DNA sequence: CGAAAACGGTATCAAAAGTTACACAACTCA
DNA sequence: TGAGTTGTGTAACTTTTGATACCGTTTTCG
């Protein structure tokens, strides 16, 4: 891939051409396979990733369970990596590709340089932090105040909207992981949704109606 | 209060003297009473606050309920104000003083200037965002995975530690609000804690043992 | 092909948490 | 002082959710 192609792929938020130029100069373009681990807990971060294509699932691993933090999608960077790198700390979370992905990585020392040179970089950072916070706040409210059936429906609708498809490809088990509950509960509620005509169930996916 | 006193009160994180000097030059020092509203939803932010003394409770108001986001304490700034101001958006949350407080405010346009001039300012921002995120993540995990009795105990212990006192001044009703449940549930569990000898209950406060 | 793994349906039971209702004590303030 | 407000205790009940167990089907992969 040549420079022109790559430039075209960088998020539009980077309005300053000097910044885009520096990214190209100092950055490295890598590709990863589905299920590849990009970052693991305890790892020292000497690079900052921006996802060009694909998706990275960022989560924490506790004793028995897994906490999903967010997905890093096209044009986004990983907030956890960013702050860990900024303070020279090791990562407290994992990042795993959910599909074959293309990632742009560059040395973290540049973060500080760019903050002092490019407003659009700062805007990107603040935007990143704020929108992750808002996302988490949504999840928090949902977990704290909504009954599970509503949470499931909300999840399905969100996925449907995001994927531009009423076919949501996920197993009951994985849906249970996403929502922090168990498979049996999910199956039970989905079944009742089906009886109410809200969805149609298939092996491996759910059709939203 | 003269310049020297004020300087001494600024958070140590601002290592650059130029920054401290600018803060003093452009900032304004205000005092508020308990229960004064500093920021309300829909308000356009033209200033950024840093709390010097006291505490601001930041929350969102939904139809029926209230969501506590965080408390802004000494040396801290309000993440929500910061990002709202940065993008010239109105506030989505409220900020109310929980006690008489002293706040340092300065024009938000400076945020952008300082980002481009002072590393310690950038570090302060990233630290602010990251620690609020971590806090919220803790709450999320707690709500998602811990039974209420454990959450109550955790709350009491945290408060006790923070206030340097085993006497936690809060009504059962307000504790219920904090934890997103109802008064009856709180009373029930506290009573069982008392029978287990973990606490002693009084009107208006709880003694942790 | 055949075994193992992944997927989903369903029943039963148990536990956790919310709901409603009522009583009384303590505090506050006109 | 006395009426209204706030704070707390407690019983009885319902609802929601989780836990366990067992089943059959589909898919995967050596």
């Amino acid at each position: 891939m040549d420079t022109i192609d790559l430039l075209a792929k960088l998020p539009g938020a980077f309005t300053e051409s000097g910044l885009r130029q520096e990214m190209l100069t100092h950055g490295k373009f890598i590709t990863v396979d589905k299920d590849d681990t990009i970052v693991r807990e305890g790892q020292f971060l000497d690079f900052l990733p921006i996802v060009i294509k694909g998706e990275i699932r960022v989560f924490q691993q506790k004793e028995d369970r897994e906490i999903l933090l967010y997905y890093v999608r096209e044009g986004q960077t990983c907030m956890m990596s960013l702050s860990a790198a900024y303070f020279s700390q090791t990562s407290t979370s994992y990042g795993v590709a959910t599909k074959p992905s293309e990632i742009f990585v560059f040395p973290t020392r540049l973060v500080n340089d760019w903050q002092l040179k490019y407003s659009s970089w700062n805007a990107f950072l603040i935007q990143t932090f704020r929108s992750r916070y808002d996302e988490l706040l949504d999840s928090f409210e949902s977990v704290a105040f909504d009954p599970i059936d509503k949470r499931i429906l909300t999840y399905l609708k969100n996925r449907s909207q995001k994927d531009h498809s009423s076919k949501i490809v996920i197993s009951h088990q994985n849906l249970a992981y996403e929502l922090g509950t168990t498979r049996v509960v999910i199956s039970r509620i989905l079944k009742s949704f089906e009886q109410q005509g809200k969805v149609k169930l298939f092996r491996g996916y759910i059709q939203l109606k």
Side-chain angles (χ1 to χ4, degrees), chain A:
Chain A
M1 173 171 308
D2 69 24
T3 306
I4 301 298
D5 285 350
L6 196 49
L7 253 178
K9 290 195 171 195
L10 291 178
F14 304 125
T15 50
E16 288 145 316
S17 65
L19 174 56
R20 287 205 301 277
Q21 201 49 59
E22 281 205 53
M23 286 182 149
L24 289 177
T25 309
H26 302 293
K28 212 175 72 181
F29 193 69
I30 64 172
T31 65
V32 295
D33 293 332
K34 174 163 156 52
D35 296 329
D36 275 4
T37 298
I38 323 296
V39 185
R40 63 182 68 247
E41 193 185 339
Q43 182 179 339
F44 190 81
L45 274 282
D46 53 355
F47 64 91
L48 183 70
I50 290 183
V51 172
I52 302 298
K53 192 97 197 150
E55 187 182 73
I56 310 298
R57 176 186 161 91
V58 178
F59 59 94
Q60 292 188 342
Q61 190 76 53
K62 298 289 166 103
E63 313 83 58
D64 42 344
R65 61 175 180 268
E66 198 172 89
I67 320 271
L68 173 67
L69 301 189
Y70 48 79
Y71 292 94
V72 185
R73 304 215 167 83
E74 303 184 10
Q76 301 179 335
T77 188
C78 175
M79 189 204 83
M80 296 299 276
S81 299
L82 177 59
S83 55
Y86 192 84
F87 294 110
S88 302
Q89 288 160 353
T90 57
S91 175
T92 56
S93 38
Y94 293 82
V96 176
T98 64
K99 49 180 100 166
S101 303
E102 302 172 8
I103 305 175
F104 200 60
V105 300
F106 41 76
T108 51
R109 59 172 174 77
L110 293 174
V111 174
N112 193 53
D113 291 356
W114 291 349
Q115 280 184 328
L116 298 172
K117 282 164 83 176
Y118 305 111
S119 276
S120 69
W121 176 252
N122 286 322
F124 176 67
L125 292 196
I126 292 188
Q127 178 64 49
T128 295
F129 279 107
R130 175 59 193 265
S131 55
R132 292 307 182 202
Y133 188 86
D134 285 347
E135 266 178 36
L136 181 56
L137 187 57
D138 264 358
S139 302
F140 175 82
E141 285 183 55
S142 178
V143 167
F145 301 107
D146 295 341
I148 288 212
D149 51 357
K150 184 173 173 195
R151 291 174 54 208
I152 295 178
L153 208 52
T154 303
Y155 178 89
L156 294 177
K157 285 179 177 166
N158 284 348
R159 271 288 298 263
S160 170
Q161 190 162 25
K162 172 176 92 57
D163 298 352
H164 307 292
S165 162
S166 63
K167 177 178 170 179
I168 290 101
V169 181
I170 191 170
S171 71
H172 294 188
Q173 181 61 70
N174 284 332
L175 185 43
Y177 282 144
E178 292 271 328
L179 300 181
T181 179
T182 60
R183 204 268 311 166
V184 182
V185 171
I186 297 286
S187 294
R188 180 157 67 209
I189 291 168
L190 282 178
K191 202 66 198 171
S192 86
F193 282 170
E194 189 172 49
Q195 277 151 9
Q196 295 165 46
K198 291 180 180 168
V199 301
K200 208 158 175 339
L201 302 180
F202 301 90
R203 184 188 174 89
Y205 68 95
I206 297 153
Q207 186 77 38
L208 196 52
K209 303 213 287 189

